[in-house]
Amino acid sequence: MTRRMKCVIAYDGTDFSGYQVQPGKRTVQGELEGVLKRMHKGSDVRVAASGRTDAGVHAYGQVIHFDTPLALSPEQWKKALNAQLPDDIAVRSVDEADSTFHARFSAKAKEYRYNVWTAAERDVFRRYYCAWHPYPLHIDAMNEALGLLKGTHDFTSFCSAKTAMEDRVRTIYHAEIEADGPMLQFRFIGTGFLYNMVRIIVGTVLEVGQGKRPPADIKSLLAAKDRRLAGPTAPAEGLYLWHVYYDRESFDHK
Amino acid sequence: MTRRMKCVIAYDGTDFSGYQVQPGKRTVQGELEGVLKRMHKGSDVRVAASGRTDAGVHAYGQVIHFDTPLALSPEQWKKALNAQLPDDIAVRSVDEADSTFHARFSAKAKEYRYNVWTAAERDVFRRYYCAWHPYPLHIDAMNEALGLLKGTHDFTSFCSAKTAMEDRVRTIYHAEIEADGPMLQFRFIGTGFLYNMVRIIVGTVLEVGQGKRPPADIKSLLAAKDRRLAGPTAPAEGLYLWHVYYDRESFDHK
């Protein structure tokens, strides 16, 4: 009998060439499939994830699934995987899922967070885990800009120009900043995010925070559908895939 | 005119073979002296520190000094050094010091901190910055053991057997644990610490916390003066040289 196992995993993206397998590169998917192949005596086991993450991007709550004939309990799977995975990937939980569950296609929404360290001083212990942006920022103006991004919009101005032709309409449910001293954390929940979308939003909203643009620019940027008019792509190291929601209830009331 | 500059520096010890220069190895002192040599047009500038740190050990408040004929202000020094140092060393402050000041010999006390992550779950983002010890711990018993270490003692049982023959009497002023959820932080202030002393104390006190030893063991260990009787040396990645005190007042009343 084949079982479908669903895992929530965390990884430190620093030493990976992103999530997705690429020949000759160290990737999260490559490490996962390598361990599963050993556990299945050399048979390939394909891992499906909720989505890719780029080089240097972290995950606290990436979700993957795979099918297996092995009769291990979820707790045994968690132990076995954690014992064999490298130190920069951790399996946080394992559950047996329905055969109709799919890590990507069953997802109802995703949460991303982006950390910005705003102190004048560089923090050597955070250099791989935050973007460093040592400039005075108007948090209220930034939250106003983020408010204008909420709702259903065509986000063409906020995705990489390399994005393949596709529907660029997405819905953002939550977009806020939590400040804890010099550490800012952007929090986004939405139906899905286009390539580089969170990083371009953060790069643009930081320009608002520095007074380089008014918050109302967001409206004209959304209307213009032109990536060149938005701000720079914020660096990978601040970004975390935080949570994948498979149930509307769980994020509607957040 | 020669000026003596005092700097407070932070470094992430992960990618260094310790503080002190060693041929062919990447060290903190080597990076500092390399930058200073370039700034002095090829002349060697010797850097003195409050003390060494081992491979993998971090510093938040290491103190160094050096002598220079360059007429830069402290603020200019800070900028110039931070611009040239690698990302894992940061200069937090620079002051011009009296010519009698010495980073090591003027120190009155040092503060070390040691981070232990006690959750059942590995945290991929903390793996270089904490020791992971996923066992239930009795914090009260640990604080009782730490209390017995305070005062003036011969710490032979708590230093590496490789320590050169010398006076092993030291005074510990403060030794406590701060708990913040699953994160424990040991805090020590003392006149000085022998080789591996903080890590052996932590390794021994964790055994007390697990119920492997009673807190009163500390008394017999101090009396025995035998390293073999104490607990294991806790790993380097949890340890931080936190602060160097050059003024008794500043730590007496902490």
Side-chain angles (χ1 to χ4, degrees):
Chain A
M1 198 188 88
T2 293
R3 296 154 197 254
R4 179 155 292 189
M5 307 309 295
K6 171 193 174 192
C7 308
V8 179
I9 65 172
Y11 47 84
D12 176 341
T14 309
D15 295 331
F16 290 107
S17 300
Y19 173 80
Q20 194 179 40
V21 162
Q22 296 175 63
K25 305 270 180 132
R26 183 171 186 265
T27 64
V28 178
Q29 186 187 3
E31 295 290 333
L32 290 166
E33 292 183 348
V35 167
L36 287 170
K37 187 170 183 165
R38 282 201 298 280
M39 289 180 69
H40 291 80
K41 303 188 186 302
S43 300
D44 284 322
V45 177
R46 179 79 183 181
V47 172
S50 74
R52 307 170 192 179
T53 53
D54 276 346
V57 173
H58 310 293
Y60 175 67
Q62 171 70 290
V63 176
I64 59 158
H65 82 257
F66 59 87
D67 292 328
T68 176
L70 300 186
L72 298 180
S73 70
E75 203 46 45
Q76 287 171 320
W77 269 113
K78 186 178 162 185
K79 274 194 190 154
L81 291 170
N82 277 326
Q84 294 176 76
L85 284 166
D87 275 357
D88 45 1
I89 305 179
V91 175
R92 292 177 49 212
S93 66
V94 180
D95 287 293
E96 189 170 341
D98 196 273
S99 65
T100 60
F101 172 82
H102 191 288
R104 181 170 168 206
F105 301 117
S106 304
K108 297 284 189 297
K110 280 186 182 171
E111 180 168 351
Y112 279 93
R113 296 191 178 186
Y114 194 99
N115 287 343
V116 181
W117 179 246
T118 64
E121 310 294 322
R122 206 149 50 87
D123 183 329
V124 294
F125 303 111
R126 299 183 199 260
R127 69 196 191 286
Y128 296 131
Y129 307 108
C130 304
W132 183 41
H133 193 81
Y135 307 99
L137 293 170
H138 299 281
I139 306 288
D140 290 349
M142 293 166 77
N143 273 321
E144 190 183 335
L146 289 170
L148 297 171
L149 288 160
K150 285 196 238 181
T152 301
H153 306 283
D154 182 314
F155 285 97
T156 298
S157 292
F158 296 96
C159 73
S160 167
K162 286 182 287 180
T163 306
M165 254 326 200
E166 57 168 319
D167 176 23
R168 282 134 181 220
V169 174
R170 295 291 183 276
T171 300
I172 293 187
Y173 300 104
H174 294 271
E176 280 99 17
I177 292 172
E178 291 266 322
D180 180 10
M183 175 67 96
L184 299 189
Q185 189 172 65
F186 288 75
R187 299 181 179 185
F188 300 95
I189 302 179
T191 49
F193 293 87
L194 298 160
Y195 189 54
N196 280 352
M197 180 168 147
V198 174
R199 292 166 58 186
I200 296 169
I201 289 176
V202 169
T204 307
V205 173
L206 286 171
E207 290 188 339
V208 171
Q210 278 189 267
K212 292 182 181 174
R213 302 173 176 267
D217 252 26
I218 298 294
K219 279 190 185 172
S220 38
L221 283 170
L222 286 168
K225 297 178 192 158
D226 183 346
R227 165 70 186 95
R228 293 168 299 177
L229 302 178
T233 305
E237 60 266 25
L239 185 60
Y240 295 72
L241 171 53
W242 197 261
H243 194 82
V244 185
Y245 295 91
Y246 292 96
D247 171 5
R248 271 199 75 89
E249 294 302 310
S250 57
F251 63 89
D252 262 7
H253 304 295
K254 278 199 94 167
Chain B
M1 197 189 89
T2 294
R3 296 154 196 254
R4 177 155 294 188
M5 306 310 293
K6 171 193 173 191
C7 308
V8 179
I9 65 172
Y11 47 84
D12 176 340
T14 309
D15 296 331
F16 291 107
S17 300
Y19 173 81
Q20 193 179 40
V21 162
Q22 296 175 65
K25 304 272 180 129
R26 184 169 187 265
T27 64
V28 178
Q29 185 186 4
E31 295 291 334
L32 291 165
E33 292 184 349
V35 167
L36 287 170
K37 186 169 183 163
R38 282 203 297 280
M39 290 181 67
H40 291 79
K41 304 188 188 300
S43 299
D44 284 323
V45 177
R46 178 79 183 180
V47 172
S50 74
R52 309 170 192 177
T53 53
D54 276 345
V57 173
H58 311 293
Y60 175 69
Q62 170 70 289
V63 177
I64 59 156
H65 82 258
F66 59 87
D67 293 328
T68 177
L70 300 184
L72 299 180
S73 69
E75 204 44 46
Q76 288 172 319
W77 270 112
K78 185 177 161 183
K79 273 194 191 154
L81 291 170
N82 278 327
Q84 294 176 76
L85 284 166
D87 275 357
D88 47 359
I89 306 179
V91 175
R92 291 177 48 212
S93 66
V94 180
D95 287 292
E96 188 170 341
D98 196 272
S99 65
T100 60
F101 171 83
H102 191 287
R104 179 171 170 203
F105 301 119
S106 304
K108 297 283 188 296
K110 282 186 182 169
E111 180 167 352
Y112 279 93
R113 296 190 178 185
Y114 194 98
N115 287 343
V116 181
W117 178 247
T118 63
E121 309 294 320
R122 210 148 47 89
D123 183 330
V124 294
F125 304 111
R126 301 183 197 260
R127 69 196 191 284
Y128 297 131
Y129 306 108
C130 303
W132 183 41
H133 194 80
Y135 306 99
L137 292 169
H138 299 280
I139 306 288
D140 290 349
M142 293 166 78
N143 273 321
E144 190 184 336
L146 289 170
L148 296 171
L149 288 160
K150 286 196 236 181
T152 303
H153 306 284
D154 183 313
F155 284 97
T156 299
S157 293
F158 296 95
C159 72
S160 166
K162 287 184 286 183
T163 307
M165 254 326 200
E166 57 168 318
D167 176 23
R168 284 137 179 213
V169 174
R170 297 290 184 277
T171 300
I172 293 187
Y173 300 105
H174 295 269
E176 278 101 17
I177 292 173
E178 291 265 323
D180 180 11
M183 175 68 95
L184 298 188
Q185 189 172 65
F186 289 75
R187 300 182 178 184
F188 300 95
I189 302 179
T191 50
F193 292 87
L194 298 161
Y195 188 56
N196 279 353
M197 181 168 146
V198 175
R199 292 166 57 186
I200 297 168
I201 288 176
V202 170
T204 307
V205 172
L206 286 171
E207 291 188 338
V208 171
Q210 279 190 265
K212 293 183 181 175
R213 301 173 176 269
D217 252 26
I218 298 295
K219 278 190 184 172
S220 37
L221 283 170
L222 286 168
K225 296 177 192 160
D226 184 346
R227 165 69 187 94
R228 294 168 299 177
L229 303 178
T233 305
E237 61 267 25
L239 185 60
Y240 295 73
L241 170 54
W242 197 261
H243 194 82
V244 185
Y245 295 92
Y246 292 97
D247 171 5
R248 272 199 74 88
E249 294 302 309
S250 57
F251 63 89
D252 262 8
H253 304 294
K254 277 200 94 169

